Amino acid sequence: MLFFICCENSEKIPIQGAVVSAREEASKIGIEILKKGGNAFDAMVATSFALSVVFPNAGNITGGGFMVYRTSEGDIGSLDYREMAPLSSDEDMYLDNNGKVIDDLSRTGGLAVGVPGSVAGILEVHNKFGSLPLNDLIKPSVELAKKGFLVTEKQAKSLNSKKDEFIKVNGESTFYGKKFMKGDLIRNPNLAKTLNEISKFGNKGFYEGWVAESMVRKINKTGGRISMEDFSSYRPRWRRPIVFDYKDLKIISMGPPSSGGICLAQMMKMIEPYNIGNLKYKSQEALHLMIEAERRSYADRSYFLGDPDFVAIPKYHLISSDYLNERMLNYDPLLATKSSDIPHGDIVVVESDETTHFSILDSFGNAVSVTTTLNGSYGSKVFVDEIGVFMNNEMDDFSSKPGSPNMFGLTGGKANSIKPKKRMLSSMTPTIVEKNGKLFLILGSPGGSTIITSVFQTILNAYEYKMGIQESIDSPRFHHQWVPDSVKFEPNFKNINELKKLKLLGHHFDLQKSKIIGRVDAIMVNEKGTISVGADKRGDDFAQTY
Ligand code: DON
């Protein structure tokens, strides 16, 4: 259920803090921490663990993610807790003897699993910024796992759609291998036990001992090649975020191994000289400009981006105005550019919504933006009974072979090839926006490659088209990612006349294939300091404030 609180015009109940996440239970657990005097980072820890209980398709302790933050003093930073390729991995691990990609091997089963980064990342956040004891932050999720949570209608549909795959990988008696109805109660005592172990022993409670052993056993039993050393050697990394200006905004987003920040910067800076605010909202002129910027940015994504610990990325060049103005030299306001005339790579879009984003603001003014994922829905479908969770299938975000698409239809080159301990390229775009030096937006989204365009369009809606945050999120989205050379529009995209004009410019799209794009959860602070929140009604997302 969507719940939306907005106090933009309310003087009576000013919001002090907000948590917007994929599930009501998780947002509420985060808010309780803020109410107890915890800061946004404490709430990040509590919300992350809560999502691992109530949102098993994407909330996780067995996946990875990114956090972008801005403290009340205006200090900014980002944490990379993306999964890593196991030590035994190699470039050809998903190929048969003829060099052909073996269908599904990087998506389902143990070989699809990357070394999880979530627990190390969450605990790193707590070590650096947390103010409350770890136990207080994990306890609500332990209780939730023990007492259980109610299945929503959307969740029942999602679980039921994967039931056969769960059984195929894990056997008939597997935990989620049954039909669910709205209102069913799911209790997960083994996950409660695991969370307790993390609470007592920190990283060692997850990356060593019986918890790690049970993951290694199950992953390898289902086709993987992972070791205890893979687990014990995992480390998250603090990284400098991507920071760029757009008019009077300063935008702070995630850098490599996510492509999110660089692509967002490219798109925004490519359109900046055209003053899109003067073009009518969702008019053919505005759509055409944005589509052409998206096209050019995704072309660069495929060629240049990968794990910065393994490949040199010309990141400042890629987001410089000179370079981006040059990229737009062949932009014609009256004609669609053919993607085949834009060099590099080969990318195809497939929508999905199995990642999860949450945004947090505390009463001190600290802002946290987190996107985390198992990659596909319920990851590799490998369910580790002893610890009550699914393992990720993040290995599929590498390019298994140049030119061969992953589950999102993304293909890549050398920069994103598989190597032991390398992190796979991501599209996750946790973002924070300042306006005239003050906090303005905290936002992000799931949606595979459509994450970046969802964030791009939400910022433009809020800033250029002066929408409130909920309207900015509700507004129908569209997406172009260079290849295939077609635009995806959401089903409720109603500007039929403008779309007809776009066709005349040479854009390709099929409205019969429309699907929802992204699920943005965001917080906005206006010039007077009033906070408003937006939870995406495309999911069960929920904004809780106090
Ligand atoms: O890191 C990435 O870009 C992907 N693993 C994200 C997956 C995702 O967003 C799935 N759901 N929409």
Side-chain angles (χ1 to χ4, degrees), residues 58 66 82-83 257-259 301 350-356 371-377 393-394 396-397 406-408 410 424-428 445-451 518-519:
F66 300 109
R82 183 73 162 160
E83 299 92 327
S258 179
S259 58
R301 180 195 190 276
V350 178
E351 295 87 354
S352 161
D353 31 45
E354 320 314 350
T355 297
T356 190
T371 316
T372 176
T373 188
L374 290 170
N375 193 27
S377 198
N393 62 347
E394 218 71 59
D396 193 58
D397 269 347
N406 73 359
M407 67 177 290
F408 300 106
L410 293 161
M424 51 299 279
L425 184 61
S426 172
S427 301
M428 293 190 279
S445 177
S449 54
T450 66
I451 292 173
R519 280 206 317 267

Side-chain angles (χ1 to χ4, degrees), residues 186-418:
I186 297 184
R187 290 198 185 95
N188 193 339
N190 287 357
L191 178 52
K193 225 165 69 184
T194 311
L195 294 174
N196 253 330
E197 198 76 358
I198 297 168
S199 177
K200 269 200 237 155
F201 303 110
N203 274 318
K204 287 193 175 176
F206 182 82
Y207 290 94
E208 297 176 24
W210 67 268
V211 171
E213 276 161 14
S214 63
M215 286 187 278
V216 169
R217 212 168 27 243
K218 182 65 186 269
I219 293 166
N220 292 343
K221 193 173 154 201
T222 50
R225 299 186 232 136
I226 216 159
S227 66
M228 288 298 281
E229 191 187 345
D230 281 313
F231 276 84
S232 61
S233 63
Y234 182 86
R235 298 287 178 274
R237 275 185 194 276
W238 293 101
R239 299 203 190 263
R240 201 171 292 183
I242 296 292
V243 182
F244 62 96
D245 294 327
Y246 174 87
K247 301 187 179 174
D248 57 0
L249 301 182
K250 177 171 139 187
I251 299 175
I252 305 142
S253 192
M254 194 66 215
S258 179
S259 58
I262 287 182
C263 291
L264 180 64
Q266 289 196 316
M267 290 171 198
M268 298 212 61
K269 294 193 82 66
M270 274 190 258
I271 67 161
E272 190 174 10
Y274 298 87
N275 216 353
I276 197 165
N278 290 344
L279 303 178
K280 203 166 148 260
Y281 177 65
K282 296 223 186 316
S283 60
Q284 166 252 296
E285 290 82 1
L287 292 171
H288 177 58
L289 176 62
M290 291 165 74
I291 290 167
E292 290 301 326
E294 291 174 10
R295 185 198 309 277
R296 284 159 178 76
S297 178
Y298 279 92
D300 278 359
R301 180 195 190 276
S302 158
Y303 185 73
F304 291 108
L305 303 185
D307 181 347
D309 295 341
F310 285 75
V311 289
I313 299 170
K315 62 179 182 185
Y316 298 111
H317 190 79
L318 283 170
I319 65 170
S320 71
S321 298
D322 285 353
Y323 171 73
L324 295 167
N325 290 341
E326 206 181 297
R327 284 295 268 160
M328 287 295 267
L329 281 180
N330 60 355
Y331 168 69
D332 182 340
L334 298 176
L335 194 65
T337 317
K338 289 197 179 87
S339 287
S340 53
D341 291 341
I342 305 275
H344 295 317
D346 190 20
I347 303 178
V348 186
V349 65
V350 178
E351 295 87 354
S352 161
D353 31 45
E354 320 314 350
T355 297
T356 190
H357 175 84
F358 57 91
S359 297
I360 301 180
L361 177 63
D362 66 21
S363 59
F364 311 107
N366 298 304
V368 165
S369 184
V370 173
T371 316
T372 176
T373 188
L374 290 170
N375 193 27
S377 198
Y378 312 93
S380 58
K381 319 293 183 292
V382 173
F383 187 80
V384 185
D385 290 304
E386 294 94 319
I387 67 168
V389 291
F390 287 103
M391 300 303 304
N392 71 77
N393 62 347
E394 218 71 59
M395 290 296 285
D396 193 58
D397 269 347
F398 279 117
S399 31
S400 293
K401 185 183 173 182
S404 187
N406 73 359
M407 67 177 290
F408 300 106
L410 293 161
T411 64
K414 271 272 165 222
N416 191 32
S417 61
I418 305 171

Side-chain angles (χ1 to χ4, degrees), residues 440-459:
F440 173 46
L441 292 173
I442 311 168
L443 79 165
S445 177
S449 54
T450 66
I451 292 173
I452 309 167
T453 39
S454 299
V455 171
F456 173 51
Q457 290 164 31
T458 308
I459 295 174

